[in-house]
Amino acid sequence: MKGIKILLVEDEAVTAMVEQKQLQNYNYTIEHVLTGEEAVERICRDKSSYDCILMDIDLGNGIDGTETARQILAYKEIPIVFLSSHTEPEIVKKTERISSYGYVVKDSSITVLDASIKMALKLFESKEFYHNTLSSIQDGVWVTDKDDKMIYFNPSMEHISGVTAEDVIGLNVITDFPPETTEHFIK
């Protein structure tokens, strides 16, 4: 995929060189940083632009990959694919709560990594389309997940209800709102 710029966050320089070379052979543009702090600096402070981030979990001293991802995602929505040697279910589950764009075990082939990057980019594009579509609707729209937690609240709904999306995202509409508020949203 030409024109795809990826930030590789990997504390092992030799591993990073191998991954970088392999990915460049697939026509990706790769920039590499050694620490989570450097990744946060690039994305949040320098405002560098990337299409995707490949994130190791263990990053030596300093913040780990999961915390790095949290900090970046608090600043900017970007697909993050975790690239790690961890296969423990609890580690994988922890990353799923942070980003749902993928998890690739390090000894996987470059073909698997390439496919995972492409899938992450497609998922991100679909998510952006969904968000842009719902944001442009003039009617108030709110969306909950299967557990009745608010996952989307469009600008029209903010205007109609007088409540900001930031105040309600993540709250359960059954248990966290008074019944009259939920009824007001439904009306």
Side-chain angles (χ1 to χ4, degrees):
M1 296 182 81
K2 290 196 183 252
I4 302 298
K5 187 175 175 186
I6 297 174
L7 179 63
L8 174 61
V9 186
E10 170 61 63
D11 65 320
E12 297 289 333
V14 174
T15 301
M17 284 186 348
V18 170
E19 290 168 350
Q20 190 168 4
K21 178 104 171 103
Q22 289 177 328
L23 289 164
Q24 286 170 336
N25 288 338
Y26 276 72
N27 296 315
Y28 294 108
T29 300
I30 308 297
E31 291 185 12
H32 169 243
V33 294
L34 292 165
T35 69
E37 290 83 0
E38 288 178 277
V40 170
E41 183 76 23
R42 288 264 180 110
I43 301 292
C44 303
R45 289 172 195 74
D46 296 348
K47 300 188 182 356
S48 296
S49 180
Y50 299 95
D51 299 297
C52 183
I53 298 173
L54 294 179
M55 181 76 67
D56 187 13
I57 292 177
D58 293 325
L59 294 173
N61 295 332
I63 60 175
D64 71 1
T66 58
E67 180 57 30
T68 302
R70 276 192 197 95
Q71 288 183 26
I72 289 170
L73 291 171
Y75 174 78
K76 178 181 182 178
E77 186 67 28
I78 185 169
I80 297 176
V81 175
F82 287 98
L83 184 59
S84 179
S85 57
H86 286 283
T87 58
E88 304 90 344
E90 60 276 2
I91 300 289
V92 175
K93 190 167 189 79
K94 181 179 178 182
T95 64
E96 288 173 353
R97 288 190 296 267
I98 298 166
S99 174
S100 57
Y101 291 104
Y103 190 99
V104 178
V105 177
K106 278 190 180 180
D107 61 359
S108 298
S109 73
I110 186 62
T111 306
V112 170
L113 183 56
D114 176 51
S116 297
I117 291 167
K118 287 176 181 172
M119 181 57 71
L121 293 169
K122 286 179 185 176
L123 286 170
F124 184 72
E125 186 178 294
S126 296
K127 185 176 178 179
E128 280 203 319
F129 175 78
Y130 162 78
H131 175 76
N132 291 339
T133 300
L134 290 179
S135 292
S136 67
I137 294 173
Q138 296 301 311
D139 293 329
V141 176
W142 53 293
V143 179
T144 60
D145 65 11
K146 63 180 176 51
D147 298 319
D148 297 316
K149 287 188 179 174
M150 190 78 69
I151 58 171
Y152 184 79
F153 205 77
N154 80 343
S156 294
M157 191 63 180
E158 288 181 318
H159 178 73
I160 291 166
S161 69
V163 177
T164 67
E166 187 176 289
D167 292 335
V168 296
I169 298 297
L171 297 179
N172 185 298
V173 295
I174 306 299
T175 61
D176 296 333
F177 291 96
E180 61 274 4
T181 301
T182 304
E183 289 172 19
H184 174 71
F185 287 166
I186 292 170
K187 288 180 187 175

